[in-house]
Amino acid sequence: MFSIALVGHVDHGKSTLIGRLLYDTNSLPEGKIDEIKKTCEALGKNFEFAYVVDALEEERKNQMTIETSQTFFKTQKREYALIDAPGHKEFIKNMVTGASQADASILIVDVKEGVKEQTRRHAYLLKFLDALPVIVCINKMDLVNYSEKEYLKAKKEIEDYLKLIGIKPIAIIPISAYAGDNVVKKSKNMPWYDGLTLTEVLDSLDIKSKREETLFFVQEKYKDIYLGNLLSGSIKRHQKLFVLPENKEVEVGRIVYGENEVEEVKAPKAIGITCNKELRRGNLLVKDPNQFHISRKINAVVFVLSDKIKKNESYTLRLLTQETIFRVRKIREKIDIDTLERKEAKELKELDAGIIEIETEKPLAFTKSVKEVSRFVILKKGKILAGGKII
Ligand code: GTP
Ligand code: MG
């Protein structure tokens, strides 16, 4: 499964694009379109693809199972999960706290409106979260008579902004989500565009080679078994591993997966293990400890979701299951998302991004080369205030 974050300014066409993708790839449940067409008629409204997405969303809400909004579609090549922005804040929260992990992103820009505030914020987040590569869709081309000139104007504007953040999009596609141009099918309305359609670009992406290194983190102890998550690699019975941040060698005993004891398991899985030494919540078990840092002094980029992060204040940091109190030693800079200017600051407010230097009470084990082990959340009284990434 390939996960894609879909971002862009309000009304630039995210929901419509999802509806169009589902429709043109035949990924919609049978009868769904007819059902919605009928509802639209009864209400005297024109049919909108966005309603399809809203209807699916509603169904999911009623089932009360999913907290992030995901929609699935498949091409001939593979299956995709689209992570949509149900609301701006929820989306940012899900992305920043790691509830959603994207392998790539689609940034949608209305050709007439160009780059807007939320376009900039989302683009910045994509970089912050390594949700790369980025595919840009210049949408609503039907509203400008499929004009190449209008496309080039919007293209330049978004390219210039992305360049400032250090993102080079792998494609900038002129589309009409509403009319279906260049989404799945090549458009006859834009003969001047000789690039790929959106699904062709998606299908051309390489699935990143998954990490092979063993990485298991401990969640809790149940009787003599340590329950946790195997994030990558595999674990064998009687394998020797290193436990971090203590950095000592241990030997795995039995492995439990589901109801069974097994000889070996491969990631990603929730499993239980026994061990010849005492472990605790937060411990990481790895093959090669040299690939990890163990430190109490950390520099990080943070994105504030609510309240404030202030210099000299103490907060709680959670990275996987590692948890520690820390103090903000310095706010090195605040990043203005609109201009990307960096300024000095004493505090970071809601939706601010900045770079901070912190000192933790307990040593933390992390590695910058693995997303899951470099990203953390900041809490105060159990509430998430910010998301961060160790730099
Ligand atoms: P939010 O969820 O509110 O952020 O908006 P959104 O990005 O999901 O936009 P949505 O898909 O709801 O589209 C907003 C409006 O633009 C709707 O009325 C769509 O019908 C219209 N729209 C979207 N794509 C196109 C397009 O390609 N052409 C035209 N003409 N209208 C479009
Ligand atoms: Mg929408």
Side-chain angles (χ1 to χ4, degrees), residues 150-180:
E150 294 298 320
Y151 160 75
L152 290 173
K153 202 172 104 196
K155 174 174 181 272
K156 176 154 188 348
E157 196 188 358
I158 185 67
E159 255 175 339
D160 286 350
Y161 180 73
L162 291 179
K163 205 172 184 180
L164 289 176
I165 325 179
I167 294 180
K168 190 170 173 13
I170 53 162
I172 303 182
I173 315 168
I175 67 164
S176 167
Y178 191 78

Side-chain angles (χ1 to χ4, degrees), residues 14-15 84-85:
K14 295 179 295 293
S15 300
D84 185 19

Side-chain angles (χ1 to χ4, degrees), residues 23-228:
Y23 186 69
D24 281 3
T25 58
N26 292 317
S27 308
L28 275 169
E30 186 108 18
K32 195 84 226 167
I33 292 277
D34 282 342
E35 183 190 315
I36 291 161
K37 274 189 180 151
K38 277 201 195 114
T39 315
C40 286
E41 264 168 42
L43 297 171
K45 294 199 278 194
N46 285 328
F47 172 78
E48 287 245 9
F49 270 121
Y51 299 150
V52 177
V53 179
D54 293 345
L56 294 174
E57 184 69 26
E58 223 24 66
E59 275 165 32
R60 271 193 303 251
K61 268 200 201 120
N62 294 338
Q63 289 168 0
M64 296 289 282
T65 44
I66 298 184
E67 49 184 71
T68 14
S69 157
Q70 293 205 1
T71 323
F72 303 93
F73 71 94
K74 54 174 183 292
T75 61
Q76 269 157 0
K77 184 158 175 201
R78 64 184 164 220
E79 242 187 293
Y80 295 92
L82 278 172
I83 308 165
D84 185 19
H88 181 48
K89 273 204 97 178
E90 291 91 323
F91 177 75
I92 290 191
K93 192 165 171 201
N94 284 336
M95 294 291 280
V96 169
T97 58
S100 313
Q101 298 275 358
D103 300 306
S105 349
I106 300 172
L107 175 63
I108 188 160
V109 181
D110 181 323
V111 64
K112 282 169 80 175
E113 292 213 350
V115 174
K116 293 286 198 187
E117 186 200 346
Q118 196 173 304
T119 318
R120 285 192 283 265
R121 281 192 189 284
H122 280 175
Y124 184 80
L125 266 176
L126 297 182
K127 175 72 180 178
F128 175 77
L129 300 165
D130 302 315
L132 309 172
V134 175
I135 302 163
V136 175
C137 287
I138 307 289
N139 191 31
K140 309 199 188 182
M141 287 302 297
D142 56 301
L143 293 183
V144 294
N145 292 318
Y146 299 102
S147 148
E148 182 180 18
K149 196 172 146 225
E150 294 298 320
Y151 160 75
L152 290 173
K153 202 172 104 196
K155 174 174 181 272
K156 176 154 188 348
E157 196 188 358
I158 185 67
E159 255 175 339
D160 286 350
Y161 180 73
L162 291 179
K163 205 172 184 180
L164 289 176
I165 325 179
I167 294 180
K168 190 170 173 13
I170 53 162
I172 303 182
I173 315 168
I175 67 164
S176 167
Y178 191 78
D181 296 275
N182 288 337
V183 177
V184 175
K185 293 176 219 149
K186 180 119 186 93
S187 170
K188 293 197 178 70
N189 296 315
M190 293 176 272
W192 44 264
Y193 176 73
D194 58 7
L196 302 176
T197 67
L198 177 58
T199 46
E200 283 169 350
V201 173
L202 289 172
D203 282 349
S204 75
L205 297 175
D206 260 342
I207 297 210
K208 276 170 284 163
S209 57
K210 295 279 180 216
R211 275 170 43 86
E212 291 299 315
E213 275 290 312
T214 299
L215 186 62
F216 173 80
F217 65 95
V218 180
Q219 229 135 21
E220 58 181 312
K221 191 174 180 185
Y222 177 72
K223 293 184 183 162
D224 62 333
I225 296 176
Y226 297 100
L227 302 171

Side-chain angles (χ1 to χ4, degrees), residues 331-348 352-355:
I331 295 177
R332 222 201 275 164
E333 52 196 36
K334 188 175 119 170
I335 303 159
D336 182 324
I337 310 259
D338 295 318
T339 59
L340 294 177
E341 257 181 85
R342 289 156 183 257
K343 300 174 209 148
E344 266 183 52
K346 288 210 177 62
E347 57 178 36
L348 298 173
D352 277 347
I355 295 177

